[in-house]
Amino acid sequence: MSQNTNDFIPISILKTGQRLLSAGGCGAEDVKNECLRNNSVFDQLAIRGGELRIANSTLRSIWHHNVSPEGSAVFFMALAMAIHYLGYSLARPTTLALFTSNKTGFTNRGAFPFAMAFVSPTSLLLLFLYGKELNCNGPRVALRHTTIYCAFALIFSSIAIKVIKEQNSSLKVGPFGILQVVVGILFVFRESYVQLLTSQMWSFMSSVLTPSQSSTWFAPISGLTSISSAAAGLYVSKFIESIGLLGVLGMSGAALFLSVLCSEKAYDIAIENGFNPEKENTPTGKKDTSHGKSIVVKARDVFSRVPTLAALFKEILACQGLSTVLNVLFVSKMKQEIKSDADRAGYMGKFYGLINIISCILQFGLLPYVMHSIEPSILWKLMPCGMLIFCSVQNFQNSLSLKIVSACFLTMKILEFSVRRMLDEMVYVPLDYDSRYIGKEVISVFGYRFGKSGMSLILSAFTSLLPSFDIKELTQATAAMALFWTASAFHL
């Protein structure tokens, strides 16, 4: 094989080479590993994604007659992630309703982007705490502890808000009431914690599955989270009617304890059968020289060693910038047209429920067939191009309605939840332990949130300096950010 790692290796040639070399005594794994040294994210995706083009993604075949230990471990971790997203899908509409409420939250139109600006620092703090846990205790304990901490944070926040409301406390922290402060902190935390847990669960599954297996199962695994999220979104209104916003918030925390049980079972299976991902960090006979390094130093080493991750980090900033502008526009328009706190929470729940239903259909039914004829590199470029069209149409509307804004934001979230989630996770499968457990966390926890916070800070500044900056200007900003994301994707 040529040693020029910049040569593109078509999937058909790679598969043929694997079969021939395996038959002739030279390992096909050697061929794949050499190909994966290429720094191009799309060449790597093409190599890893070949099997996806012929995958028939269905959960039914997970439980065929003889389920392997690896399959069982991945199933329980996927179940843990689905339950985590069920809880998150309950927390999202309730925290947003509390934050935008005239009684418990903020009425200033600049409050939402201002609060979003704090998501990145909070994510960075969570990332440091995770790095310390990972360094001292390994990935299993890190996942267990961070999940339990997040569960208690949600439950205690629910109790604290209830107590403050009942006591009708007039205590203030600067210009804000104590209730506003608690609700604001809760909102920022809820925006920050979801990727912290999700990326750890994906890291485990990426470690257990081979590239071929991940191509087959990542779409239905994502679909499982879409099912649980859709169920939570569709029923959140009924839950709110029965136990109130704070009761639903407490439920979201309780769900995380069930998620812990499933993730622990997954690690138990991995340890019993000798494929615990933690072993990759300290191979037999080698000393772990990275122990004691901060997560910042480790991340710097990983990004310099794996250029793919650095390129992905930059593209994600542009993508999340657009997502944030669309989110702010959606929330602003929703608050303008829907006055009731409970009605806003119900609308949000149904909105995200619809997103997850459509995403689930794509993940189980359409994506495997689309990948037969479309290269991952093309699919990655089609996402921002599609959003550029939607945002341009939205920008030229004379009378902007909540339906139009919702449709544009819905399209963006569907792309994020289905297509992008699948492509993102495939990048990490053949990479090493540090790339999956450190590089991935930095990108998923900090990169995603830094893109959101950076754009939120810019929007907050515009709102403060320009009193006329409102719905129309936000609409124009969506078209500009869609163009920026498109340019970024074509340079990836």
Side-chain angles (χ1 to χ4, degrees):
M1 175 173 288
S2 170
Q3 296 300 312
N4 183 2
T5 58
N6 290 319
D7 290 340
F8 178 77
I9 303 173
I11 294 168
S12 58
I13 295 176
L14 175 64
K15 288 185 176 180
T16 303
Q18 286 179 325
R19 288 194 297 269
L20 292 174
L21 289 174
S22 293
C26 182
E29 192 71 13
D30 296 333
V31 179
K32 183 198 70 177
N33 289 336
E34 184 171 346
C35 296
L36 289 173
R37 295 192 188 104
N38 192 296
N39 290 336
S40 168
V41 62
F42 295 127
D43 288 359
Q44 293 188 22
L45 280 175
I47 294 167
R48 290 191 297 273
E51 292 297 327
L52 187 59
R53 294 173 178 80
I54 59 172
N56 179 17
S57 298
T58 169
L59 274 175
R60 188 181 306 154
S61 58
I62 292 179
W63 293 110
H64 58 77
H65 184 62
N66 293 312
V67 180
S68 67
E70 290 84 356
S72 297
V74 168
F75 173 78
F76 278 104
M77 189 59 75
L79 188 60
M81 187 166 66
I83 295 171
H84 155 50
Y85 267 92
L86 185 147
Y88 177 74
S89 297
L90 293 175
R92 177 170 46 205
T94 54
T95 54
L96 184 59
L98 290 169
F99 185 85
T100 56
S101 170
N102 293 329
K103 298 178 181 178
T104 61
F106 302 85
T107 56
N108 190 300
R109 60 191 176 90
F112 183 79
F114 182 74
M116 289 292 292
F118 286 93
V119 172
S120 181
T122 305
S123 298
L124 189 59
L125 176 61
L126 293 175
L127 191 60
F128 274 110
L129 295 175
Y130 163 77
K132 186 176 181 180
E133 284 282 355
L134 182 67
N135 197 41
C136 295
N137 302 309
R140 178 180 187 171
V141 177
L143 177 58
R144 180 198 307 154
H145 286 178
T146 51
T147 307
I148 291 174
Y149 296 156
C150 291
F152 278 123
L154 293 171
I155 293 172
F156 287 157
S157 295
S158 175
I159 296 172
I161 293 171
K162 181 177 177 61
V163 170
I164 294 171
K165 287 180 68 177
E166 289 178 349
Q167 293 183 350
N168 197 21
S169 175
S170 59
L171 182 65
K172 287 186 173 293
V173 179
F176 305 110
I178 185 65
L179 182 58
Q180 286 180 305
V181 172
V182 174
V183 169
I185 293 173
L186 171 64
F187 175 80
V188 172
F189 172 76
R190 192 268 303 163
E191 284 284 341
S192 305
Y193 88 87
V194 57
Q195 285 296 335
L196 175 71
L197 304 184
T198 303
S199 56
Q200 292 180 70
M201 295 170 183
W202 274 118
S203 294
F204 174 88
M205 291 184 283
S206 298
S207 300
V208 172
L209 295 177
T210 66
S212 175
Q213 291 169 335
S214 66
S215 298
T216 303
W217 297 120
F218 273 6
I221 287 171
S222 297
L224 191 60
T225 66
S226 296
I227 292 173
S228 63
S229 298
L234 293 175
Y235 284 95
V236 68
S237 294
K238 294 183 178 180
F239 290 147
I240 291 173
E241 290 176 4
S242 301
I243 58 178
L245 286 171
L246 299 180
V248 174
L249 181 60
M251 281 180 59
S252 68
L256 289 179
F257 287 108
L258 184 57
S259 178
V260 171
L261 295 179
C262 294
S263 63
E264 287 290 300
K265 178 64 176 178
Y267 268 105
D268 283 340
I269 295 172
I271 292 172
E272 289 172 4
N273 291 276
F275 54 88
N276 182 11
E278 191 170 1
K279 287 186 176 181
E280 298 178 41
N281 192 33
T282 53
T284 304
K286 295 184 180 180
K287 185 179 179 181
D288 180 15
T289 58
S290 67
H291 187 76
K293 289 184 180 180
S294 70
I295 194 168
V296 174
V297 175
K298 288 183 178 181
R300 183 192 63 196
D301 294 342
V302 169
F303 275 63
S304 62
R305 181 166 47 82
V306 188
T308 295
L309 298 183
L312 187 61
F313 184 89
K314 295 174 184 177
E315 188 267 346
I316 280 172
L317 294 181
C319 171
Q320 292 307 302
L322 171 61
S323 183
T324 300
V325 179
L326 287 170
N327 194 7
V328 172
L329 176 60
F330 172 71
V331 172
S332 300
K333 194 65 180 177
M334 182 176 59
K335 186 174 181 181
Q336 186 182 84
E337 296 192 13
I338 304 176
K339 304 301 181 182
S340 168
D341 298 344
D343 289 345
R344 280 199 308 276
Y347 185 86
M348 278 283 292
K350 292 177 181 177
F351 176 79
Y352 277 95
L354 180 60
I355 289 173
N356 284 290
I357 289 173
I358 298 174
S359 298
C360 184
I361 293 172
L362 291 175
Q363 289 156 340
F364 281 105
L366 185 61
L367 281 177
Y369 298 99
V370 169
M371 294 302 290
H372 275 289
S373 54
I374 301 180
E375 290 286 343
S377 60
I378 297 175
L379 194 59
W380 213 307
K381 292 180 176 68
L382 285 176
M383 289 190 294
C385 289
M387 285 310 305
L388 180 59
I389 295 172
F390 271 93
C391 292
S392 298
V393 171
Q394 177 182 257
N395 187 42
F396 288 111
Q397 295 297 314
N398 292 325
S399 179
L400 192 63
S401 67
L402 179 59
K403 289 183 179 180
I404 294 174
V405 173
S406 298
C408 193
F409 188 43
L410 178 119
T411 304
M412 180 69 186
K413 299 309 290 185
I414 288 172
L415 290 175
E416 285 188 276
F417 285 8
S418 57
V419 182
R420 187 182 185 96
R421 181 181 291 175
M422 178 188 64
L423 294 177
D424 277 354
E425 299 307 327
M426 288 174 63
V427 172
Y428 301 97
V429 174
L431 303 181
D432 59 14
Y433 175 91
D434 283 345
S435 297
R436 290 195 302 268
Y437 281 92
I438 297 174
K440 179 175 173 52
E441 285 291 325
V442 171
I443 290 175
S444 298
V445 179
F446 181 68
Y448 271 83
R449 295 331 186 196
F450 183 67
K452 289 179 180 292
S453 292
M455 180 52 62
S456 297
L457 197 58
I458 293 172
L459 293 177
S460 181
F462 274 117
T463 303
S464 300
L465 298 174
L466 302 173
S468 61
F469 191 86
D470 204 358
I471 300 294
K472 181 180 178 181
E473 289 72 24
L474 283 171
T475 306
Q476 294 170 347
T478 62
M481 285 305 303
L483 182 61
F484 180 62
W485 182 27
T486 303
S488 175
F490 273 85
H491 283 87
L492 183 61

